[in-house]
Amino acid sequence: MISFLISIAALILGYLIYGRVIERIFGPDDRKTPALAHPDGVDYIAMPTWKVFMIQFLNIAGTGPIFGAIMGAWFGPASYLWIVLGCIFAGSVHDYLSGMMSIRNDGASLPELIGKYLGKTMRIIMLIFSMVLLLMVGAVFVYSPASILAGIGGNVILWFVVIFIYYIIATLLPIDKIIGKIYPIFAAALIFMAIGLFVCLIIKMPVIPEVWDINNMDSWMTAQSHNGTDLLGMKKYLTANTLFPAMFITIACGAISGFHATQSPLMARCLKSEKLGRPVFYGSMITEGFVALVWAAVSSWFFYSGGWREVLPQDAVNEFLAQVGNTDGKSLIQYFNAPAVVKLVCSSWLGVVGGILAMLGVVAAPITSGDTALRSARLIIADFLKFDQKPIAKRLMIAVPMFAAVLLLLIWQLANPNGFNVLWQYFGWSNQTLSVFTLWAITIFLHKYKKCYWVTLIPAIFMTTVSLTFIIQQIIG
């Protein structure tokens, strides 16, 4: 696990060294933050720094660094490089500077920031773009937890309703009433799960592909074969999903994600000091990178080193092998989806506690991503319409049509057998495209105030290339 351990060390050094560089470029000072300048008791509320960090971490993480890293395992150890370099030089910079820009602009939401630095036309485009993304997040992150909970009791429709009701309550109530109380607990569970798995990796010290194996994965594929059949299905997958740009779309939350820029303004309205921005914004992204790296290593062990054989009972192993080679037979990538890997590994390595943490990871985390996405959507519309959000009536005026739109997406998703996959595909691309707009806006901001804009210009150019290449590939087919 040499590449993995070096990657962990690089993340820590990235926070200590490059994080400090970015902080100095921005130059936080002692001016009053929006939480202190105009508190409203609903969205602008000064909260303890540790709590703001935990909420920010869960807001941006959810299942992203887990599922993305697991699916990213199919690109081999190249995923380590993208998580580390992307997290330090792109994602953390993106999150920190978008959050600090929001603080400097009275807690402004992303479209307002885009409009200020890229023009009124871009403001309208970003309003529509971010609203579509956030509503998709709200719909996408109802489906998977509802499906899992239905396996325990009830049915999918029942859990859709329960989760949807929670969304409404969490979106409308003051941020310290529900989000401020339960998010730190879920965030702690997500971090504890990652630390527990990290310790297990250190104890097991499995032999997994290293960075220098990127161009020589044949031996690993040969090791995972049955009666001459490739169990991984890696070559077929990479034919349909080339490393560039697919890996940079698949692994988003662990490296860089435009969705984060819609979430940072939520916490920009709760910080007591600008000088707390680096631990909260840059630090939470580095923490997310740690979670992604752990799951990248775990999934590497699971798929490439035969870990799936260890966590499955023998009859389940035989059941999988029996269907290999059939006309409708499935490879490992098709047979074990990300939630299944999470449940199998956590239950096997961490026991009963791991099973509970896995349930929180695949159920609670996506739900919390969904409710903060909808809260962000409410605030974005409120900023655009200049609606004071202190009166509950004005919150409802925005929330009712917004929830109606999400409900229509959910109904379509249920009626369409491939609805979830279609929404997820467009969510992935729009997520990274949103980061492109944000990075360009930050670059203009830094240039305007005569600060070193190269720190965001280079990531902006790279992510623009990724997003354009991906959509062109989709169009060409």
Side-chain angles (χ1 to χ4, degrees), residues 14-278:
Y15 174 77
L16 295 174
I17 300 173
Y18 198 66
R20 182 76 66 182
V21 170
I22 299 300
E23 183 182 48
R24 287 180 179 175
I25 289 173
F26 180 83
D29 55 33
D30 295 320
R31 73 185 70 189
K32 275 191 174 182
T33 62
L36 300 178
H38 38 77
D40 66 356
V42 179
D43 299 304
Y44 291 82
I45 300 175
M47 292 196 293
T49 307
W50 69 269
K51 186 174 286 190
V52 176
F53 170 84
M54 288 295 209
I55 296 172
Q56 172 70 6
F57 168 69
L58 194 64
N59 278 356
I60 66 173
T63 55
I66 301 174
F67 289 4
I70 292 172
M71 292 186 285
W74 297 101
F75 299 101
S79 60
Y80 292 143
L81 295 177
W82 171 228
I83 292 171
V84 173
L85 298 177
C87 188
I88 294 172
F89 298 106
S92 297
V93 176
H94 168 279
D95 290 10
Y96 173 74
L97 292 176
S98 62
M100 298 307 289
M101 278 174 61
S102 180
I103 290 178
R104 286 284 170 92
N105 288 275
D106 291 325
S109 56
L110 182 61
E112 300 302 307
L113 294 173
I114 297 291
K116 181 173 181 177
Y117 297 103
L118 296 183
K120 293 181 179 179
T121 302
M122 285 306 303
R123 175 176 176 241
I124 301 299
I125 292 173
M126 279 308 301
L127 174 70
I128 297 170
F129 198 89
S130 56
M131 284 304 300
V132 170
L133 173 65
L134 292 170
L135 293 179
M136 279 198 297
V137 170
V140 164
F141 288 139
V142 170
Y143 187 85
S144 57
S147 300
I148 293 168
L149 289 170
I152 300 172
N155 56 55
V156 173
I157 301 296
L158 170 66
W159 287 110
F160 265 23
V161 173
V162 172
I163 295 170
F164 203 72
I165 291 172
Y166 165 75
Y167 274 3
I168 294 171
I169 295 170
T171 302
L172 293 174
L173 286 183
I175 196 166
D176 62 337
K177 298 303 180 186
I178 292 183
I179 292 175
K181 286 181 169 58
I182 66 171
Y183 270 45
I185 298 171
F186 291 146
L190 207 59
I191 293 172
F192 180 76
M193 175 169 57
I195 292 174
L197 293 172
F198 176 75
V199 171
C200 289
L201 281 169
I202 297 300
I203 293 172
K204 290 178 70 67
M205 200 60 70
V207 177
I208 54 179
E210 303 283 1
V211 169
W212 45 87
D213 294 325
I214 289 174
N215 292 320
N216 184 29
M217 295 295 291
D218 288 345
S219 59
W220 295 95
M221 288 187 282
T222 301
Q224 294 302 312
S225 61
H226 179 68
N227 293 334
T229 301
D230 170 26
L231 297 182
L232 287 166
M234 186 179 175
K235 287 184 178 178
K236 184 178 180 181
Y237 180 84
L238 290 178
T239 300
N241 304 274
T242 55
L243 190 146
F244 185 89
M247 183 179 73
F248 303 93
I249 298 291
T250 303
I251 303 177
C253 289
I256 181 172
S257 167
F259 174 68
H260 296 184
T262 67
Q263 301 302 293
S264 293
L266 293 180
M267 293 301 98
R269 304 177 187 207
C270 298
L271 274 179
K272 297 177 181 178
S273 168
E274 283 192 353
K275 293 178 181 177
L276 299 172
R278 185 168 72 99

Side-chain angles (χ1 to χ4, degrees), residues 390-411:
K390 195 168 185 179
I392 185 67
K394 290 193 175 181
R395 277 178 262 164
L396 284 168
M397 286 175 65
I398 296 173
V400 169
M402 187 177 74
F403 281 115
V406 175
L407 188 58
L408 288 174
L409 276 174
L410 286 172
I411 293 171

Side-chain angles (χ1 to χ4, degrees), residues 362-433:
V362 298
V363 173
I367 293 174
T368 54
S369 292
D371 70 48
T372 49
L374 295 177
R375 189 180 191 91
S376 296
R378 172 176 66 79
L379 293 172
I380 286 172
I381 296 172
D383 285 351
F384 182 76
L385 298 176
K386 308 300 180 188
F387 269 26
D388 179 13
Q389 289 296 279
K390 195 168 185 179
I392 185 67
K394 290 193 175 181
R395 277 178 262 164
L396 284 168
M397 286 175 65
I398 296 173
V400 169
M402 187 177 74
F403 281 115
V406 175
L407 188 58
L408 288 174
L409 276 174
L410 286 172
I411 293 171
W412 175 83
Q413 194 174 186
L414 277 174
N416 189 329
N418 201 38
F420 177 80
N421 292 331
V422 171
L423 278 182
W424 186 265
Q425 184 180 39
Y426 283 103
F427 162 70
W429 173 77
S430 57
N431 181 33
Q432 294 302 60
T433 302

